[in-house]
Amino acid sequence: MKLLGKYPSTRMRRIRNSDWIRRLVAENNLSVNDLILPIFLTEGSNKKESIKTMPGFYRYSIDRIEGIINQAQKLKIPMVALFPKVLKNKKDNMGNEALNEKNLICRALKRIKKNSKNIGIMCDVALDPYTSHGHDGVLINGEIHNDKTIEILVQQALLQAEMGADIIAPSDMMDGRIGKIRKALDTNQYTNTKIISYAVKYASNFYGPFRDAIGSKSNLKGDKKTYQMDYKNANESLREVALDIKEGADMVMIKPGLPYLDIIRMVKDTFRIPILSYQVSGEYALIQNGIKNKIIDKKAIIESLISLKRAGSAGIVTYFAIEVAKNLRKFN
Ligand code: PBG
């Protein structure tokens, strides 16, 4: 870039020296339309359970879900993402509970869809909440079997679509699942059901609190490095996204968020498709603990989210969604 001026005729501080001018020249802003709220579900009734590793965030039983949905809808949050904490005795090697039409997710979907219309519901497609070993796919001879897993994921996606999910979000990182799921949805008349592919999901150390929240942490045998991406790699993300777009993804998710801003920007510059990012549980816990211990200011929440927007995200999954939506004016 050519230098556009020089000191003293150019003084950069002139366009920073009061609040109104800063607001006027801001290149990026956060709005409630950028927020996706995750909701953790648990069995039982009238439950609001705290999660040790995620201070300020809770798991709810289905009978209390409408409260959250109504609040989100009133605040104009466009979408929620559902995640179940499945009872231990319902988990098995193949994740069969994922296909039970009376499972937590299905019951929640039915209930929300009956009462709430103007809010999108996104559902994870992956087996980790349902498998006894905590992996996103089926474990056969010590290996997460790609194609056998896809067969189940396709059924899981169809069931979620049937129960009313607006967006199917495969987060399992198997190869080829987007194409198979899109085809199955189309064959069954779910042509309007959208797909967000977690196309770029790294084998990250920042998922710990989430695994704690859905109860897959203690079960998890080994790590997820044979299917989730190696964080040493950037170019690989372009190949992942290219494949998923070809297979029919409507949007792509990049995950985690803050440590991967370079990846968001690279994907944004390469493809013309909506990009979402996921500020994951470990990021939430770090910021939240920093605030609680008075190490950083609350405004760090907005700063982290605007960074994700600046990098190129159209929307962000964040455990801070409700708090941000409520306080946006104050924060900005
Ligand atoms: C699993 C899934 C994970 C998250 C969302 N879906 C964790 C994992 O892959 O182990 C993590 C979200 C978070 O940490 O907030 N399919």
Side-chain angles (χ1 to χ4, degrees):
M1 193 179 72
K2 237 173 85 186
L3 200 59
L4 299 173
K6 64 180 195 198
Y7 175 84
S9 56
T10 297
R11 290 178 182 266
M12 294 304 291
R13 291 180 57 191
R14 269 203 290 267
I15 53 167
R16 288 180 204 142
N17 65 8
S18 56
D19 174 62
W20 65 265
I21 188 73
R22 288 193 295 271
R23 281 189 281 123
L24 188 68
V25 301
E27 293 172 42
N28 292 283
N29 279 295
L30 190 69
S31 108
V32 69
N33 297 327
D34 301 317
L35 305 170
I36 301 165
L37 168 72
I39 298 178
F40 293 141
L41 301 165
T42 191
E43 292 288 359
S45 59
N46 199 20
K47 282 201 175 145
K48 177 183 179 181
E49 299 172 347
S50 50
I51 301 160
K52 216 166 70 200
T53 49
M54 299 181 74
F57 206 79
Y58 303 90
R59 269 185 305 257
Y60 295 91
S61 54
I62 291 185
D63 56 339
R64 293 192 58 166
I65 198 176
E66 273 142 323
I68 318 294
I69 296 282
N70 288 342
Q71 188 184 24
Q73 205 168 291
K74 269 206 197 100
L75 290 165
K76 285 267 175 96
I77 290 177
M79 181 161 77
V80 298
L82 303 179
F83 299 99
K85 179 173 194 247
V86 176
L87 292 174
K88 258 209 164 81
N89 63 15
K90 299 231 160 128
K91 299 187 184 195
D92 60 27
N93 192 41
M94 302 295 281
N96 276 307
E97 178 67 5
L99 305 184
N100 175 2
E101 59 183 67
K102 295 216 164 67
N103 71 21
L104 254 183
I105 285 289
C106 293
R107 278 179 282 141
L109 276 170
K110 274 199 160 159
R111 186 140 178 175
I112 301 170
K113 274 293 147 184
K114 205 166 71 191
N115 301 312
S116 317
K117 298 285 177 260
N118 193 21
I119 190 159
I121 308 177
M122 147 182 170
C123 281
D124 241 41
V125 169
L127 299 180
D128 56 309
Y130 307 100
T131 52
S132 43
H133 44 72
H135 281 289
D136 292 32
V138 297
L139 193 57
I140 298 174
N141 296 330
E143 188 193 330
I144 302 302
H145 197 291
N146 193 84
D147 297 4
K148 290 232 158 54
T149 298
I150 294 186
E151 286 174 26
I152 304 173
L153 297 179
V154 167
Q155 298 309 314
Q156 186 185 17
L158 275 178
L159 180 60
Q160 291 175 354
E162 189 189 326
M163 297 292 152
D166 299 289
I167 299 196
I168 300 296
S171 71
D172 54 289
M173 288 300 281
M174 297 302 119
D175 288 321
R177 84 284 202 218
I178 299 298
K180 291 261 163 67
I181 289 173
R182 184 70 269 166
K183 191 166 161 214
L185 290 173
D186 289 350
T187 325
N188 289 278
Q189 268 67 57
Y190 297 113
T191 48
N192 282 328
T193 304
K194 304 163 211 348
I195 297 180
I196 292 177
S197 172
Y198 284 83
V200 183
K201 178 171 179 181
Y202 284 90
S204 172
N205 297 295
F206 288 91
Y207 302 149
F210 174 92
R211 292 177 189 167
D212 191 25
I214 67 157
S216 69
K217 193 175 197 162
S218 50
N219 308 32
L220 184 61
K221 292 197 173 63
D223 55 46
K224 300 190 176 184
K225 289 181 181 170
T226 69
Y227 45 105
Q228 297 180 348
M229 287 171 58
D230 184 345
Y231 50 74
K232 299 188 190 86
N233 299 340
N235 285 331
E236 198 179 341
S237 62
L238 298 181
R239 297 180 70 198
E240 286 283 3
V241 171
L243 285 164
D244 286 358
I245 292 176
K246 209 162 207 166
E247 289 178 33
D250 299 293
M251 290 163 267
V252 294
M253 180 80 77
I254 295 174
K255 178 178 173 190
L258 221 47
Y260 296 87
L261 296 177
D262 57 326
I263 308 296
I264 299 171
R265 172 48 56 195
M266 202 164 89
V267 172
K268 172 82 175 174
D269 286 344
T270 310
F271 301 99
R272 299 292 169 258
I273 189 166
I275 298 166
L276 305 172
S277 52
Y278 199 136
Q279 181 177 59
V280 301
S281 56
E283 299 176 69
Y284 169 83
L286 283 175
I287 296 173
Q288 190 72 306
N289 285 325
I291 295 167
K292 284 218 158 17
N293 294 316
K294 303 204 183 327
I295 298 167
I296 54 174
D297 190 87
K298 239 186 165 142
K299 290 192 182 119
I301 298 171
I302 298 294
E303 182 179 343
S304 66
L305 296 173
I306 297 240
S307 305
L308 292 162
K309 291 233 39 179
R310 198 184 60 234
S313 311
I316 305 160
V317 184
T318 172
Y319 300 97
F320 290 116
I322 293 274
E323 185 174 356
V324 169
K326 274 188 187 161
N327 297 302
L328 211 48
R329 255 170 184 274
K330 210 164 61 196
F331 273 145
N332 261 328

